[in-house]
Amino acid sequence: MKLSEIKEILPALENVEFQLENGTFVPEHFHVTEVGQIIKKFIDCGGVIRKEKAVNFQLWNANDYEHRLKPGKLLSIIKLSEDKLGIEDAEIEVEYQSDTIGKYDLDFNGNTFVLKNKATACLAEDACGIPSEKQNKSLSELTVNQSNSCTPNSGCC
């Protein structure tokens, strides 16, 4: 989800709720402690220099159990970050503490924002010798070369 998308969704909500993909909800007293833009410059294993930009939200739980972040407040935090930091419209990455700091993509299911699991990947598979996945075929899909095949009782086997 891009920053422009969350800005369109928030005005229609009564509450801001986040949920992990496994169905667990982020406690409703969470804080958004950071909104920023992350710029990552790196070189992949194939030698290609790359640059990625993401808008970063950091969620944090404190012991102030009466705290509730309202959609208007989150919109004002986003606007302030755009004005003061020059944040561009980019995909949102959410940091949330579980066993360690987890990084998640963001989606919306019509009611709540969903923290989508991220995975690592090789960006240069062709350059670092990763074999392509084999295709699975059923035996009925295989063609038989009639010139090299044996028939029962032909004596070739």
Side-chain angles (χ1 to χ4, degrees):
M1 169 180 293
K2 293 184 95 168
L3 187 62
S4 57
E5 294 174 89
I6 197 170
K7 288 168 46 179
E8 290 175 13
I9 293 168
L10 285 170
L13 298 178
E14 289 184 34
N15 295 302
V16 180
E17 296 179 322
F18 289 91
Q19 180 180 19
L20 297 168
E21 262 187 312
N22 68 11
T24 303
F25 280 88
V26 170
E28 58 189 359
H29 59 277
F30 74 92
H31 291 252
V32 174
T33 55
E34 293 179 14
V35 173
Q37 185 159 41
I38 296 173
I39 299 169
K40 179 180 174 182
K41 287 179 72 175
F42 60 101
I43 190 164
D44 68 24
C45 59
V48 176
I49 296 173
R50 298 177 184 264
K51 183 176 179 181
E52 294 178 354
K53 289 183 183 181
V55 173
N56 185 68
F57 286 13
Q58 185 182 79
L59 306 184
W60 179 65
N61 298 326
N63 59 3
D64 60 338
Y65 299 104
E66 301 304 315
H67 177 268
R68 301 293 180 272
L69 180 66
K70 293 297 184 185
K73 178 64 174 175
L74 182 52
L75 275 171
S76 68
I77 294 168
I78 291 169
K79 176 148 182 40
L80 183 63
S81 67
E82 289 174 315
D83 292 345
K84 299 292 183 182
L85 302 174
I87 289 177
E88 301 170 21
D89 189 27
E91 290 293 321
I92 298 171
E93 179 178 87
V94 178
E95 293 180 354
Y96 179 62
Q97 183 78 40
S98 51
D99 294 334
T100 186
I101 297 172
K103 291 186 175 195
Y104 301 88
D105 287 326
L106 189 62
D107 199 3
F108 186 69
N109 67 12
N111 297 312
T112 62
F113 293 102
V114 180
L115 304 181
K116 306 285 283 182
N117 295 329
K118 294 179 80 124
T120 58
C122 177
L123 299 176
E125 288 184 10
D126 58 328
C128 62
I130 296 174
S132 60
E133 289 187 33
K134 293 181 182 178
Q135 292 181 341
N136 291 330
K137 290 189 174 189
S138 67
L139 289 175
S140 62
E141 293 177 314
L142 298 176
T143 58
V144 177
N145 183 343
Q146 294 296 334
S147 64
N148 287 339
S149 65
C150 294
T151 58
N153 301 322
S154 70
C156 67
C157 299

